[in-house]
Amino acid sequence: MPAQAPAPIAPAPAVPGTEARARPPGARRRPGGPRARGRRIALVAYYSFAALIITSCTLQLIRQVFFLPAAPSPYASCEEGLLALVRAVERAREAAPGTDGEDAALARFRSTLAPAWTYRDGVAASCRGSEDNERALDAIERLRYAEEHAARREAGDLAPLRRRVRAIVDGQLGPASPR
């Protein structure tokens, strides 16, 4: 006689008398009661507040980046504005060197540059349409960038050497020695 497999055992209900209320598989029980409702209200309020903050910040950033009006240029023409920008870069380059380090050199460079370069967007607006003037503005901007990095590099590399030479001149050679 062949061996027979044992008959499957039906699982017993966890609580007696609940067979009739058994849920179909995959159905979720919906939490009820005042605690669950309060929890849902708190979550909705929290996520709504977070979404409001995120939306507000995003709109402010978009407005400042894309829709900020440019200060009008005080210069009569594009060429005058470009000349003012070039002169400001030259003045800033002369003002930057010193013996007090990189931060001070950059502060001097930027403060000397600031009066004319606050109107950069206005100058760019007055130069719009002329390809030669737009290329000139691009070259001037690249010069300003390079001069600022040169002032930074020079201050970082040369400021300690300048202080050392100044100390030698003042200490050994006397303060009245020719430069």
Side-chain angles (χ1 to χ4, degrees), residues 2 17 27 35 45 59 61 76 78 85-86 117 161-162 178:
R35 284 183 89 180
L59 290 175
L61 284 171
C78 171
L85 295 177
V86 169
W117 277 78
L161 184 58
R162 285 180 181 149

Side-chain angles (χ1 to χ4, degrees), residues 154-175:
E154 181 179 301
D157 295 342
L158 294 180
L161 184 58
R162 285 180 181 149
R163 283 193 293 271
R164 185 171 160 209
V165 168
R166 179 57 50 204
I168 291 170
V169 167
D170 291 343
Q172 296 174 2
L173 305 175

Side-chain angles (χ1 to χ4, degrees), residues 30-47:
R30 196 159 189 182
R35 284 183 89 180
R37 188 175 317 119
R39 191 175 302 127
R40 279 195 303 271
I41 291 171
L43 281 173
V44 167
Y46 174 77
Y47 286 123

Side-chain angles (χ1 to χ4, degrees), residues 47-96:
Y47 286 123
S48 298
F49 184 68
L52 179 71
I53 290 175
I54 291 168
T55 304
S56 172
C57 292
T58 302
L59 290 175
Q60 287 179 17
L61 284 171
I62 288 172
R63 192 192 70 197
Q64 288 181 3
V65 170
F66 296 111
F67 300 110
L68 192 64
S73 174
Y75 309 108
S77 68
C78 171
E79 290 77 13
E80 284 183 35
L82 293 175
L83 283 172
L85 295 177
V86 169
R87 288 185 189 123
V89 170
E90 291 170 353
R91 283 192 311 270
R93 177 184 35 213
E94 293 169 6

